[in-house]
Amino acid sequence: METYEKVIHVPDYPPKEKHPTIFRAFDELASGKTMQIVNDHDPRPLLYQFMMERPEQFTWEYLEEGPEIWKVAISKK
């Protein structure tokens, strides 16, 4: 079983803090480490933001894809 450096339950954060909190957590990861986000909808817009703001720095793996819960493992290269 994968262990995660951080697990962020995204719905716990106010809307304007969601993405900044996730990016801050990602930036604090050591290379080769993985964090997990848990969300109540598909976080695809976040994936696109990662592709724009952190190109070539991450891997993205869906662990669970709804309909109630989405879980994504984000690893730092």
Side-chain angles (χ1 to χ4, degrees):
M1 184 173 135
E2 180 88 45
T3 58
Y4 300 102
E5 294 295 302
K6 295 184 168 88
V7 176
I8 296 175
H9 191 259
V10 182
D12 290 350
Y13 294 88
K16 69 180 183 13
E17 291 180 21
K18 292 178 193 289
H19 287 197
T21 298
I22 294 164
F23 277 96
R24 191 164 43 251
F26 176 80
D27 290 341
E28 290 170 358
L29 286 178
S31 182
K33 297 296 185 183
T34 303
M35 61 185 259
Q36 183 187 83
I37 61 168
V38 180
N39 206 1
D40 57 3
H41 62 273
D42 187 346
R44 191 165 303 276
L46 178 68
L47 171 58
Y48 296 142
Q49 190 176 353
F50 261 94
M51 291 165 72
M52 294 292 294
E53 296 186 15
R54 304 290 188 280
E56 310 300 319
Q57 296 178 38
F58 71 97
T59 62
W60 178 282
E61 179 190 358
Y62 281 100
L63 305 172
E64 190 173 330
E65 295 186 67
E68 312 268 311
I69 299 286
W70 277 258
K71 292 182 180 177
V72 180
I74 305 171
S75 299
K76 191 175 219 177
K77 289 184 176 178

Coordinates of all heavy atoms in Angstrom, one line a residue:
M1 N 0.8 -1.2 0.0 CA 0.0 0.0 0.0 C 0.9 1.2 0.0 O 1.9 1.3 0.7 CB -0.9 0.0 1.2 CG -1.9 1.1 1.3 SD -3.0 0.9 2.7 CE -3.0 2.6 3.3
E2 N 0.5 2.2 -0.8 CA 1.3 3.4 -1.0 C 1.1 4.3 0.3 O 0.1 4.3 0.9 CB 0.7 4.2 -2.2 CG 1.4 5.5 -2.4 CD 2.6 5.4 -3.3 OE1 2.5 4.8 -4.3 OE2 3.6 6.1 -3.0
T3 N 2.2 4.9 0.7 CA 2.1 5.8 1.8 C 2.3 7.2 1.2 O 3.1 7.4 0.3 CB 3.1 5.6 2.9 OG1 4.4 5.6 2.3 CG2 2.9 4.2 3.6
Y4 N 1.6 8.2 1.7 CA 1.6 9.5 1.2 C 2.2 10.5 2.2 O 1.9 10.4 3.4 CB 0.1 10.0 0.8 CG -0.5 9.0 -0.2 CD1 -1.4 8.1 0.2 CD2 -0.1 9.1 -1.5 CE1 -2.0 7.2 -0.7 CE2 -0.7 8.2 -2.4 CZ -1.6 7.3 -2.0 OH -2.1 6.4 -3.0
E5 N 3.0 11.4 1.7 CA 3.5 12.4 2.6 C 2.4 13.3 3.1 O 2.5 13.7 4.3 CB 4.5 13.3 1.7 CG 5.7 12.6 1.2 CD 6.6 12.1 2.4 OE1 7.1 13.0 3.1 OE2 6.9 10.9 2.5
K6 N 1.4 13.6 2.3 CA 0.3 14.4 2.7 C -0.9 13.9 2.1 O -0.9 13.4 1.0 CB 0.5 15.9 2.3 CG 1.7 16.6 2.9 CD 1.7 18.0 2.4 CE 2.7 18.9 3.2 NZ 4.1 18.9 2.7
V7 N -2.1 14.1 2.8 CA -3.4 13.8 2.2 C -4.2 15.0 2.4 O -4.3 15.5 3.6 CB -4.1 12.5 2.8 CG1 -5.5 12.4 2.3 CG2 -3.2 11.3 2.6
I8 N -4.7 15.6 1.3 CA -5.5 16.8 1.4 C -7.0 16.5 1.1 O -7.2 16.0 0.0 CB -5.0 17.9 0.5 CG1 -3.5 18.3 0.9 CG2 -5.9 19.1 0.5 CD1 -2.9 19.3 0.0
H9 N -7.8 16.7 2.0 CA -9.3 16.6 1.8 C -9.8 17.9 1.3 O -10.1 18.8 2.1 CB -10.0 16.1 3.1 CG -11.4 15.7 2.8 ND1 -12.4 16.5 3.1 CD2 -11.9 14.5 2.3 CE1 -13.6 15.8 2.8 NE2 -13.2 14.7 2.3
V10 N -9.9 18.1 0.0 CA -10.1 19.4 -0.7 C -11.4 20.1 -0.2 O -11.3 21.3 0.0 CB -10.0 19.2 -2.2 CG1 -10.2 20.6 -2.9 CG2 -8.7 18.6 -2.6
P11 N -12.5 19.3 0.0 CA -13.7 20.1 0.4 C -13.6 20.8 1.7 O -14.4 21.6 2.1 CB -14.8 19.0 0.4 CG -14.3 17.9 -0.5 CD -12.8 17.9 -0.4
D12 N -12.6 20.4 2.5 CA -12.4 21.1 3.8 C -12.0 22.5 3.7 O -12.0 23.3 4.7 CB -11.4 20.3 4.7 CG -11.9 19.0 5.2 OD1 -13.1 18.7 5.0 OD2 -11.1 18.2 5.7
Y13 N -11.5 23.0 2.5 CA -11.0 24.3 2.3 C -11.9 25.2 1.6 O -12.7 24.7 0.7 CB -9.7 24.2 1.5 CG -8.6 23.5 2.3 CD1 -8.4 22.1 2.2 CD2 -7.7 24.2 3.1 CE1 -7.4 21.4 2.9 CE2 -6.7 23.5 3.8 CZ -6.6 22.1 3.7 OH -5.6 21.5 4.4
P14 N -11.9 26.5 2.0 CA -12.7 27.5 1.2 C -12.3 27.5 -0.3 O -11.1 27.2 -0.6 CB -12.4 28.8 1.9 CG -11.8 28.5 3.2 CD -11.1 27.1 3.0
P15 N -13.2 27.8 -1.2 CA -12.9 27.7 -2.6 C -11.6 28.4 -3.0 O -10.8 27.9 -3.7 CB -14.1 28.4 -3.3 CG -15.2 28.1 -2.4 CD -14.6 28.1 -1.0
K16 N -11.4 29.6 -2.5 CA -10.2 30.4 -3.0 C -8.9 29.8 -2.4 O -7.8 30.1 -2.9 CB -10.3 31.9 -2.7 CG -10.3 32.2 -1.2 CD -10.4 33.8 -1.1 CE -10.4 34.4 0.2 NZ -9.9 33.8 1.4
E17 N -9.0 28.9 -1.4 CA -7.7 28.3 -0.8 C -7.4 26.9 -1.3 O -6.3 26.4 -1.1 CB -7.9 28.3 0.7 CG -7.9 29.6 1.4 CD -8.1 29.5 2.9 OE1 -7.8 28.4 3.5 OE2 -8.5 30.5 3.5
K18 N -8.4 26.3 -2.1 CA -8.2 24.9 -2.5 C -6.9 24.7 -3.3 O -6.0 24.0 -2.9 CB -9.4 24.4 -3.3 CG -10.6 24.3 -2.5 CD -11.8 23.9 -3.4 CE -13.1 24.0 -2.7 NZ -13.4 23.0 -1.6
H19 N -6.8 25.4 -4.5 CA -5.6 25.2 -5.3 C -4.3 25.7 -4.7 O -3.3 25.0 -4.8 CB -5.9 25.8 -6.7 CG -6.8 25.0 -7.5 ND1 -6.9 25.1 -8.9 CD2 -7.7 24.0 -7.2 CE1 -7.9 24.3 -9.4 NE2 -8.4 23.6 -8.3
P20 N -4.3 26.9 -4.1 CA -3.1 27.3 -3.4 C -2.6 26.4 -2.4 O -1.4 26.1 -2.2 CB -3.4 28.7 -2.8 CG -4.6 29.2 -3.7 CD -5.3 28.0 -4.1
T21 N -3.5 25.8 -1.6 CA -3.1 24.8 -0.6 C -2.5 23.6 -1.2 O -1.5 23.1 -0.7 CB -4.4 24.4 0.3 OG1 -4.9 25.6 0.9 CG2 -4.0 23.3 1.3
I22 N -3.1 23.1 -2.3 CA -2.6 21.9 -3.0 C -1.2 22.2 -3.6 O -0.3 21.4 -3.4 CB -3.6 21.4 -4.1 CG1 -4.9 20.9 -3.4 CG2 -2.9 20.3 -4.9 CD1 -6.0 20.8 -4.3
F23 N -1.0 23.3 -4.2 CA 0.3 23.7 -4.8 C 1.3 23.9 -3.8 O 2.5 23.5 -4.0 CB 0.2 24.9 -5.7 CG -0.3 24.6 -7.1 CD1 -1.7 24.7 -7.5 CD2 0.6 24.1 -8.1 CE1 -2.1 24.4 -8.7 CE2 0.1 23.8 -9.4 CZ -1.2 23.9 -9.7
R24 N 1.0 24.5 -2.7 CA 1.9 24.7 -1.6 C 2.4 23.3 -1.0 O 3.6 23.1 -0.9 CB 1.3 25.5 -0.4 CG 2.3 26.0 0.6 CD 1.7 27.1 1.5 NE 0.3 26.9 1.9 CZ -0.7 27.6 1.4 NH1 -0.6 28.5 0.5 NH2 -2.0 27.4 1.9
A25 N 1.5 22.4 -0.9 CA 1.8 21.0 -0.4 C 2.7 20.3 -1.4 O 3.7 19.7 -1.0 CB 0.5 20.2 -0.1
F26 N 2.4 20.5 -2.7 CA 3.2 19.8 -3.7 C 4.6 20.4 -3.7 O 5.6 19.7 -3.8 CB 2.6 20.0 -5.1 CG 3.4 19.5 -6.2 CD1 3.4 18.2 -6.5 CD2 4.2 20.4 -7.0 CE1 4.2 17.7 -7.5 CE2 5.0 19.9 -8.0 CZ 5.0 18.5 -8.3
D27 N 4.7 21.7 -3.6 CA 6.0 22.4 -3.6 C 6.9 21.9 -2.5 O 8.1 22.0 -2.6 CB 5.9 23.9 -3.7 CG 5.3 24.4 -5.0 OD1 5.4 23.6 -6.0 OD2 4.8 25.5 -5.0
E28 N 6.3 21.6 -1.4 CA 7.0 21.1 -0.2 C 7.5 19.7 -0.3 O 8.3 19.2 0.5 CB 6.1 21.3 1.1 CG 5.9 22.8 1.4 CD 4.9 23.0 2.5 OE1 4.3 22.0 3.0 OE2 4.7 24.2 2.9
L29 N 6.9 18.9 -1.2 CA 7.3 17.5 -1.4 C 8.8 17.4 -1.8 O 9.2 18.2 -2.6 CB 6.4 16.8 -2.4 CG 5.0 16.4 -2.1 CD1 4.4 15.8 -3.3 CD2 4.9 15.5 -0.9
A30 N 9.4 16.4 -1.3 CA 10.8 16.0 -1.8 C 10.6 15.3 -3.1 O 9.5 14.6 -3.4 CB 11.5 15.2 -0.8
S31 N 11.6 15.3 -4.0 CA 11.5 14.6 -5.2 C 11.3 13.1 -5.0 O 11.9 12.5 -4.1 CB 12.9 14.8 -6.0 OG 12.8 14.2 -7.2
G32 N 10.4 12.5 -5.7 CA 10.1 11.1 -5.6 C 9.0 10.8 -4.6 O 8.6 9.7 -4.4
K33 N 8.5 11.8 -3.9 CA 7.5 11.6 -2.9 C 6.1 11.9 -3.5 O 6.0 12.6 -4.5 CB 7.7 12.6 -1.7 CG 8.9 12.3 -0.9 CD 8.9 10.9 -0.3 CE 10.1 10.6 0.6 NZ 10.1 9.3 1.1
T34 N 5.1 11.4 -2.8 CA 3.7 11.4 -3.4 C 2.7 12.0 -2.3 O 2.8 11.7 -1.1 CB 3.2 10.0 -3.8 OG1 4.2 9.5 -4.8 CG2 1.8 10.0 -4.4
M35 N 1.8 12.8 -2.8 CA 0.7 13.3 -1.9 C -0.6 12.8 -2.6 O -0.6 12.3 -3.7 CB 0.7 14.8 -1.8 CG 0.5 15.5 -3.1 SD 0.7 17.3 -2.9 CE -1.0 17.8 -3.0
Q36 N -1.6 12.8 -1.8 CA -2.9 12.4 -2.3 C -3.9 13.5 -2.0 O -3.9 14.2 -1.0 CB -3.4 11.1 -1.6 CG -4.8 10.6 -2.1 CD -5.3 9.5 -1.3 OE1 -6.0 9.7 -0.3 NE2 -5.1 8.3 -1.7
I37 N -4.8 13.8 -3.1 CA -5.9 14.7 -2.8 C -7.2 13.9 -2.9 O -7.3 12.9 -3.6 CB -6.0 15.9 -3.8 CG1 -6.1 15.4 -5.3 CG2 -4.7 16.7 -3.6 CD1 -6.4 16.5 -6.2
V38 N -8.1 14.2 -2.1 CA -9.5 13.6 -2.0 C -10.5 14.7 -2.3 O -10.4 15.8 -1.7 CB -9.7 13.0 -0.6 CG1 -11.1 12.4 -0.6 CG2 -8.6 12.0 -0.3
N39 N -11.3 14.5 -3.3 CA -12.3 15.6 -3.7 C -13.6 15.0 -3.9 O -13.8 13.8 -4.1 CB -11.7 16.3 -4.9 CG -12.2 17.7 -5.1 OD1 -12.9 18.2 -4.2 ND2 -11.8 18.4 -6.1
D40 N -14.6 15.9 -4.0 CA -16.0 15.5 -4.2 C -16.4 15.7 -5.7 O -17.6 15.5 -6.0 CB -17.0 16.3 -3.3 CG -16.8 17.8 -3.5 OD1 -16.0 18.3 -4.3 OD2 -17.5 18.6 -2.7
H41 N -15.5 16.0 -6.6 CA -15.7 16.1 -8.0 C -14.4 15.8 -8.7 O -13.3 15.9 -8.1 CB -16.3 17.4 -8.4 CG -15.4 18.6 -8.2 ND1 -15.4 19.3 -7.0 CD2 -14.5 19.2 -8.9 CE1 -14.5 20.2 -7.0 NE2 -14.0 20.2 -8.2
D42 N -14.5 15.6 -10.0 CA -13.3 15.3 -10.8 C -12.4 16.6 -10.8 O -12.8 17.6 -11.2 CB -13.7 15.0 -12.2 CG -12.5 14.5 -13.1 OD1 -11.3 14.7 -12.7 OD2 -12.7 14.0 -14.2
P43 N -11.1 16.4 -10.3 CA -10.3 17.6 -10.2 C -9.5 17.9 -11.5 O -8.4 18.4 -11.5 CB -9.3 17.2 -9.0 CG -9.2 15.8 -9.1 CD -10.6 15.3 -9.6
R44 N -10.1 17.6 -12.6 CA -9.4 17.8 -13.9 C -8.9 19.2 -14.1 O -7.8 19.4 -14.6 CB -10.4 17.4 -15.1 CG -9.7 17.3 -16.4 CD -10.5 16.5 -17.4 NE -10.8 15.2 -17.0 CZ -10.0 14.1 -17.1 NH1 -8.8 14.3 -17.7 NH2 -10.4 13.0 -16.7
P45 N -9.7 20.3 -13.7 CA -9.1 21.6 -13.8 C -7.8 21.8 -13.1 O -6.9 22.5 -13.6 CB -10.2 22.6 -13.3 CG -11.5 21.8 -13.4 CD -11.1 20.3 -13.2
L46 N -7.7 21.1 -12.0 CA -6.4 21.2 -11.2 C -5.3 20.5 -12.0 O -4.2 21.0 -12.1 CB -6.6 20.5 -9.9 CG -5.3 20.5 -9.0 CD1 -4.9 21.8 -8.5 CD2 -5.6 19.5 -7.8
L47 N -5.6 19.4 -12.7 CA -4.6 18.8 -13.5 C -4.1 19.7 -14.6 O -2.9 19.9 -14.9 CB -5.2 17.5 -14.2 CG -4.4 16.8 -15.3 CD1 -3.0 16.4 -14.8 CD2 -5.1 15.7 -15.9
Y48 N -5.1 20.5 -15.3 CA -4.7 21.4 -16.3 C -3.8 22.5 -15.7 O -2.8 23.0 -16.3 CB -5.9 22.0 -17.0 CG -6.7 20.9 -17.8 CD1 -8.0 21.0 -17.8 CD2 -6.0 19.9 -18.4 CE1 -8.8 20.0 -18.5 CE2 -6.7 18.9 -19.1 CZ -8.1 19.0 -19.1 OH -8.8 18.0 -19.8
Q49 N -4.1 23.0 -14.5 CA -3.3 24.0 -13.8 C -1.9 23.5 -13.5 O -1.0 24.2 -13.7 CB -4.0 24.5 -12.6 CG -3.4 25.7 -12.0 CD -4.1 26.3 -10.8 OE1 -5.2 25.8 -10.4 NE2 -3.5 27.2 -10.1
F50 N -1.8 22.2 -13.1 CA -0.5 21.6 -12.9 C 0.3 21.6 -14.2 O 1.5 21.9 -14.2 CB -0.6 20.2 -12.3 CG -0.5 20.1 -10.8 CD1 -1.6 20.2 -10.0 CD2 0.8 20.0 -10.2 CE1 -1.4 20.1 -8.6 CE2 1.0 20.0 -8.9 CZ -0.1 20.0 -8.0
M51 N -0.4 21.2 -15.3 CA 0.3 21.1 -16.6 C 0.9 22.5 -17.0 O 1.9 22.6 -17.6 CB -0.6 20.6 -17.6 CG -1.0 19.1 -17.4 SD -2.4 18.5 -18.3 CE -1.7 18.4 -20.0
M52 N 0.1 23.5 -16.7 CA 0.6 24.9 -17.0 C 1.7 25.4 -16.1 O 2.6 26.0 -16.5 CB -0.6 25.9 -17.0 CG -1.7 25.6 -18.0 SD -1.1 25.9 -19.7 CE -0.9 27.7 -19.6
E53 N 1.5 25.2 -14.8 CA 2.3 25.8 -13.8 C 3.5 25.0 -13.3 O 4.5 25.5 -12.8 CB 1.5 26.3 -12.6 CG 0.4 27.3 -12.9 CD -0.3 27.9 -11.7 OE1 0.1 27.7 -10.6 OE2 -1.4 28.5 -12.0
R54 N 3.4 23.7 -13.4 CA 4.5 22.8 -13.0 C 4.8 21.7 -14.1 O 4.8 20.5 -13.8 CB 4.1 22.0 -11.7 CG 3.7 22.9 -10.5 CD 4.9 23.7 -9.9 NE 4.5 24.4 -8.7 CZ 3.9 25.5 -8.6 NH1 3.4 26.2 -9.7 NH2 3.6 26.1 -7.4
P55 N 5.0 22.2 -15.3 CA 5.2 21.2 -16.4 C 6.4 20.3 -16.1 O 7.4 20.8 -15.6 CB 5.4 22.1 -17.6 CG 5.8 23.4 -17.1 CD 5.2 23.5 -15.8
E56 N 6.2 19.0 -16.4 CA 7.3 18.0 -16.3 C 7.8 17.8 -14.9 O 8.8 17.2 -14.7 CB 8.5 18.5 -17.2 CG 8.2 18.8 -18.6 CD 7.6 17.7 -19.4 OE1 8.0 16.5 -19.2 OE2 6.7 17.9 -20.2
Q57 N 7.0 18.3 -13.9 CA 7.5 18.2 -12.5 C 6.7 17.1 -11.7 O 7.0 16.9 -10.6 CB 7.4 19.5 -11.8 CG 8.3 20.6 -12.3 CD 8.1 21.9 -11.6 OE1 7.9 21.9 -10.4 NE2 8.1 23.0 -12.3
F58 N 5.6 16.6 -12.3 CA 4.7 15.7 -11.5 C 4.2 14.6 -12.3 O 4.3 14.5 -13.6 CB 3.5 16.6 -11.1 CG 2.6 17.0 -12.2 CD1 1.4 16.2 -12.4 CD2 2.9 18.0 -13.0 CE1 0.6 16.6 -13.5 CE2 2.0 18.4 -14.1 CZ 0.9 17.6 -14.3
T59 N 3.7 13.6 -11.6 CA 2.8 12.5 -12.2 C 1.5 12.6 -11.5 O 1.4 13.0 -10.4 CB 3.4 11.1 -12.1 OG1 3.5 10.8 -10.7 CG2 4.8 11.0 -12.8
W60 N 0.5 12.2 -12.3 CA -0.9 12.3 -11.8 C -1.6 10.9 -12.0 O -1.6 10.4 -13.1 CB -1.6 13.4 -12.6 CG -3.1 13.6 -12.4 CD1 -4.1 12.9 -12.8 CD2 -3.7 14.7 -11.7 NE1 -5.3 13.5 -12.4 CE2 -5.0 14.6 -11.7 CE3 -3.1 15.8 -11.0 CZ2 -5.9 15.5 -11.2 CZ3 -4.0 16.7 -10.4 CH2 -5.4 16.6 -10.5
E61 N -2.1 10.4 -11.0 CA -2.7 9.0 -11.1 C -4.1 9.0 -10.4 O -4.1 9.2 -9.1 CB -1.8 8.0 -10.5 CG -2.4 6.6 -10.6 CD -1.7 5.5 -9.8 OE1 -0.6 5.8 -9.2 OE2 -2.1 4.4 -9.8
Y62 N -5.1 8.8 -11.1 CA -6.4 8.6 -10.5 C -6.5 7.3 -9.7 O -6.1 6.3 -10.3 CB -7.6 8.6 -11.5 CG -7.9 10.0 -12.0 CD1 -7.5 10.4 -13.2 CD2 -8.8 10.8 -11.3 CE1 -7.8 11.7 -13.7 CE2 -9.2 12.0 -11.7 CZ -8.7 12.5 -13.0 OH -9.1 13.7 -13.4
L63 N -6.8 7.4 -8.4 CA -7.0 6.2 -7.6 C -8.4 5.7 -7.5 O -8.7 4.6 -7.3 CB -6.4 6.4 -6.2 CG -4.9 6.9 -6.2 CD1 -4.5 7.3 -4.8 CD2 -4.0 5.8 -6.7
E64 N -9.3 6.7 -7.5 CA -10.7 6.5 -7.4 C -11.4 7.6 -8.2 O -11.0 8.8 -8.1 CB -11.2 6.6 -6.0 CG -12.6 6.1 -5.7 CD -13.0 6.0 -4.2 OE1 -12.1 5.7 -3.4 OE2 -14.1 6.2 -3.9
E65 N -12.4 7.2 -9.1 CA -13.0 8.2 -10.0 C -14.5 8.2 -9.8 O -15.2 7.7 -10.7 CB -12.6 7.9 -11.4 CG -11.2 8.0 -11.7 CD -10.8 7.9 -13.2 OE1 -11.2 8.7 -14.0 OE2 -10.2 6.8 -13.5
G66 N -15.0 8.8 -8.7 CA -16.4 9.0 -8.4 C -17.2 7.8 -8.3 O -16.7 6.7 -8.2
P67 N -18.6 8.0 -8.3 CA -19.2 9.3 -8.5 C -19.2 10.2 -7.3 O -19.5 11.4 -7.4 CB -20.6 8.9 -8.9 CG -20.9 7.6 -8.2 CD -19.5 6.9 -8.2
E68 N -18.9 9.7 -6.1 CA -19.0 10.5 -4.9 C -17.6 11.1 -4.5 O -17.5 12.2 -4.1 CB -19.5 9.7 -3.7 CG -20.7 8.8 -4.0 CD -22.0 9.6 -3.7 OE1 -22.1 10.1 -2.5 OE2 -22.9 9.6 -4.5
I69 N -16.6 10.3 -4.7 CA -15.3 10.6 -4.2 C -14.3 10.4 -5.3 O -14.3 9.4 -6.0 CB -14.8 9.7 -3.0 CG1 -15.8 9.9 -1.8 CG2 -13.4 10.0 -2.6 CD1 -15.6 11.2 -1.1
W70 N -13.4 11.4 -5.5 CA -12.3 11.2 -6.4 C -11.0 11.3 -5.6 O -10.9 12.1 -4.7 CB -12.2 12.4 -7.4 CG -13.1 12.1 -8.6 CD1 -12.7 11.7 -9.9 CD2 -14.5 12.3 -8.7 NE1 -13.8 11.7 -10.7 CE2 -14.9 12.0 -10.0 CE3 -15.5 12.7 -7.8 CZ2 -16.2 12.1 -10.4 CZ3 -16.8 12.8 -8.2 CH2 -17.2 12.5 -9.5
K71 N -10.1 10.4 -5.8 CA -8.8 10.3 -5.2 C -7.7 10.3 -6.2 O -7.8 9.6 -7.2 CB -8.6 9.1 -4.3 CG -9.5 9.1 -3.1 CD -9.3 7.9 -2.2 CE -10.3 7.9 -1.0 NZ -10.1 6.7 -0.2
V72 N -6.7 11.2 -6.0 CA -5.6 11.3 -7.0 C -4.3 11.3 -6.3 O -4.1 12.0 -5.2 CB -5.7 12.7 -7.8 CG1 -4.6 12.8 -8.8 CG2 -7.1 12.8 -8.5
A73 N -3.4 10.5 -6.8 CA -2.0 10.5 -6.3 C -1.2 11.5 -7.2 O -1.2 11.3 -8.4 CB -1.4 9.1 -6.3
I74 N -0.5 12.5 -6.6 CA 0.3 13.4 -7.3 C 1.7 13.2 -6.8 O 2.0 13.4 -5.6 CB -0.2 14.9 -7.1 CG1 -1.6 15.0 -7.5 CG2 0.7 15.8 -7.9 CD1 -2.2 16.4 -7.1
S75 N 2.6 12.8 -7.7 CA 4.0 12.6 -7.3 C 4.9 13.6 -7.9 O 4.7 14.1 -9.0 CB 4.5 11.2 -7.8 OG 3.7 10.2 -7.2
K76 N 5.9 14.0 -7.1 CA 6.9 15.0 -7.6 C 8.1 14.2 -8.2 O 8.6 13.3 -7.6 CB 7.4 15.8 -6.4 CG 8.2 17.0 -6.9 CD 8.6 17.9 -5.7 CE 8.5 19.3 -6.0 NZ 8.8 20.2 -4.9
K77 N 8.4 14.6 -9.4 CA 9.5 13.9 -10.2 C 10.8 14.3 -9.6 O 11.0 15.4 -9.0 CB 9.4 14.3 -11.6 CG 8.3 13.6 -12.4 CD 8.3 14.0 -13.8 CE 7.2 13.3 -14.6 NZ 7.2 13.6 -16.0

